[in-house]
Structures are given as C-alpha cells and as structure tokens.
Amino acid sequence: MSQDQRRMVWTLGMAQCISWGILFYAFSVLLPPMTASLPISHSSISFMATLSALIAAMISVPVGRKLDRGGHLRLMMGGSLLGVIGCGIWSWSGTAWGLYSAAVFIGVAQAASLYDPVFAFLLHAFPDEKERSSAMMQVTLLGGLASTMFLPLTTWLIKILDWQGAIRILALLLLIPVGIYKYWDGKTSFTSTPTPTPGRLFSLDLTFLNKDARRIFVTLILVFLLNAIVHTTLTTHLPSALQSWGFGAMEASWAVGIMGASQLLGRMGVGPYLNICQRGPLLTAPLAIMSVVLILLPFCQQDSLRWLLLIVLGSASGLLTLLRPTLVSRLFESQIFGRVNGVLALSYQLARAGGPIGGAWVYEISKGYAAVFVVMALMLTAGACLSQRLQKSPRPPSV
C-alpha cells in the first residue's frame, strides 16, 4: 500500500467516524431534550429513527446499482451534503412533519455515505484481498469510535447551546466528509474503474445472476438478515436487560459502551482470521460464538462474567462487520458487488426498523428478557448452520 493510499484510507476512516457519529448515534442523546422542549410525543419523535431506516432501505438497492457504475466518492459526497441539509431542517423544526422531512434527507444520506459505499470503493481501490482487508479494517477502526466520540460531544454541545444549536454545529462538522470525498475524487489514479453495468437503478431484478449464484445469494441474504435482526434488537434492549439483571443505569451504559469498543478487537483480528479460514466458511465461527454468549447472558449470576461475555460478543460482532464485504467479494464478481451489497443493506435497514419491535413483543409475552435472548441465540444458530453453505468456491458467473 502506497503512502497516498494509506493517507486516503485513514481520511476515509475519519469521514466514516464523523458520518456515523452524526447521522446515526447522535439521535439517542438528542431525543431527551427534544422530547422535553417540543410539543410532540416521545414516540412521534422516536419515529424519526424508524423513518430514516426505512428511507435508507428503500434506496439501498438503487445505491448499490449506482456503485456498480462508478462514482463512489461523488455519491458519498452527495450523501453527506444531503445529511447537512437534513440536519439543518432538523435544527429548525418544531413540528413532527418538519422532523420527518429531516429524517428523509438523513435516511438518504445514511444509505449513500456510510459503510456500504466505502466498502464498494475499497473493493476497486485494492484488488488484492489482503490489502483490501487491511484498508477496511483501518476504516472501520476509526468508524467504530463514532459513538465513543460523538455521544459525549453531542451531550456537551446540548449543555452549552441547546439541542438546536448542537445539531447546527454537527451539520457544520458533516462538511468535513464532504471535503474529504471531494479531495480524493480528483486524486484516485491508483484505483481501478468499475465496469459500467446495464439495467435500471430502481429494480430488484436478479437476472444478472445465474441459478447457482441466486441460490448462494438467497442464503447470504438469510444469514445476514438473521444477524441484522439480532444486532438491532440487542442494541435496543441490552441496557434494559442488564438493568433487569441487577446492573445500575450507569453500569449498564458503561457495559454497552465497552461492548461497542470491543468491536475494534474483532476488526483488528480480521487479517489473522482470514488466514485461518482461507477456504472454510467465514461466518460460522463468529455467529456460533455470539449464539453461545446470548444463551449464557440471562442465566449468568456473576456480573464480572457478564462483562467478559459482552466483550466476546462485541468482538465477534466487530469481526462480522468486515466479513460481509469480504465474503461478497469472494463469492461474486466485483462488477456486481454494489448490487449484491445493496440488497444485503436493504435487509439490514428493514431489520433496523422492525427488529426492536419484535424483541419488545417477545418480552411482553414472556414477561422477561431471558426469552428474548434465547430467541436471538436460536436465530444466530440458524444463521451459523446456513453459513456452512457459503464455502469459498469459484465465483458464480454473472450473466
């Protein structure tokens, strides 16, 4: 990897950290002051997050098709600009419809500027898998610091300004990724150019795959859909679950934060893991480990052991973040990476919108979180079994 490539990778990581921090994580700490100051119900304001996820899901497939036609950095730059506009509308909104208008812009920005587009770009910038895995690891290491940096930053901005002023400062910070993408868009002579692909952008047509490729594709969707449902359900319900098992509110927050930070351990280990699993199924081990952890958590009586289990859970989850683009690049030709990843992103965004609701439904029926974690463990076990069908093999030819 050349010096220019290393600089590009680290600045892209910085852009991802800022984008994730503002477009995804900041909402959680903005929600309480918004609820306190606006004449809108908590649930109505919370629907902003659901709506942005649904919008991101709606356009993930056309975004994937656009990525196969090139222009990755310009797309991410445009997405970040839409995020700036969305944050501006958000900061001046005093009605539910104003907030929902902002959520539409933010949802488009999420689909066009977060991990999936940058993964597609790195696939073409680094044809060698080892270099590409290293680049993705470095980008996601910085991206993984988004919650650690932007949750306290946003909290501090709210304290000294108010929530509207905090969002306006965040909107200005979101211009930094715009500048990063603009800079590298004119200096990427070392990247390969994607082959233009035919077909309409707004289409779920899978005829670009032959029969065997579609079978593998469907299996891949099912595995990542199960994982996405578990991930979003866990993110929503873990703090409450820990408190119901005896953790204090602050202790539960720290536990969730440490689990998030431990994702960096998994991402740092992606290189050795890929060396070990050169020909075997990549997803089976982390999915199985996460399943075991989820089974043990509700029934563990020692808090110290629960902390250890959360670190293991976060590490396995962090590893899966990088294994998705790696596996897609192994199984499918680079010319259709965007379309394949776009459909996978669609399943993830739908899980973001629906997974937490399903977890709440199981909790209400069972009157406790143990059943929720058992169901999540069973889903990951099913995913681990399905992943056995995703052995490394010659890429299914595209049609």
Side-chain angles (χ1 to χ4, degrees), residues 79-127:
S80 297
L81 282 171
L82 290 177
V84 173
I85 295 171
C87 287
I89 296 172
W90 185 3
S91 70
W92 272 284
S93 294
T95 66
W97 288 112
L99 295 178
Y100 299 158
S101 298
V104 171
F105 281 91
I106 290 170
V108 176
Q110 288 174 345
S113 64
L114 297 183
Y115 277 151
D116 290 311
V118 81
F119 286 161
F121 172 72
L122 293 175
L123 175 70
H124 293 282
F126 298 96

Side-chain angles (χ1 to χ4, degrees), residues 322-333:
L322 291 181
L323 292 183
R324 186 180 85 179
T326 300
L327 185 59
V328 172
S329 67
R330 283 188 176 187
L331 294 173
F332 300 96
E333 298 289 348

Side-chain angles (χ1 to χ4, degrees), residues 55-66:
I55 295 298
M58 287 174 58
I59 71 163
S60 58
V61 172
V63 164
R65 288 179 172 269
K66 175 63 179 70

Side-chain angles (χ1 to χ4, degrees), residues 108-253:
V108 176
Q110 288 174 345
S113 64
L114 297 183
Y115 277 151
D116 290 311
V118 81
F119 286 161
F121 172 72
L122 293 175
L123 175 70
H124 293 282
F126 298 96
D128 179 75
E129 185 179 275
K130 288 187 177 181
E131 285 194 346
R132 181 169 65 249
S133 297
S134 176
M136 289 181 177
M137 182 268 291
Q138 292 171 44
V139 167
T140 57
L141 279 179
L142 285 176
L145 296 174
S147 61
T148 306
M149 294 178 62
F150 278 86
L151 292 181
L153 173 61
T154 306
T155 302
W156 179 71
L157 289 173
I158 293 170
K159 184 177 180 179
I160 65 171
L161 298 173
D162 61 27
W163 68 267
Q164 294 100 330
I167 297 174
R168 289 165 195 159
I169 296 297
L170 294 177
L172 292 176
L173 291 176
L174 200 53
L175 290 172
I176 296 175
V178 175
I180 289 173
Y181 300 139
K182 175 65 177 176
Y183 177 82
W184 288 112
D185 187 43
K187 298 178 180 296
T188 53
S189 59
F190 46 78
T191 67
S192 60
T193 304
T195 303
T197 54
R200 295 173 298 168
L201 285 177
F202 290 86
S203 173
L204 268 172
D205 180 22
L206 299 180
T207 56
F208 64 89
L209 299 174
N210 64 22
K211 182 178 179 180
D212 289 338
R214 284 197 293 271
R215 175 180 54 79
I216 292 176
F217 190 34
V218 169
T219 302
L220 199 64
I221 290 173
L222 289 175
V223 172
F224 280 109
L225 179 61
L226 291 169
N227 178 63
I229 292 172
V230 170
H231 180 265
T232 55
T233 304
L234 187 66
T235 301
T236 302
H237 294 286
L238 182 59
S240 298
L242 290 173
Q243 291 181 57
S244 73
W245 299 332
F247 278 47
M250 183 60 67
E251 189 181 15
S253 298

Side-chain angles (χ1 to χ4, degrees), residues 61-82:
V61 172
V63 164
R65 288 179 172 269
K66 175 63 179 70
L67 290 171
D68 284 339
R69 301 179 183 186
H72 307 91
L73 294 173
R74 288 190 295 275
L75 177 67
M76 289 187 278
M77 181 175 65
S80 297
L81 282 171
L82 290 177

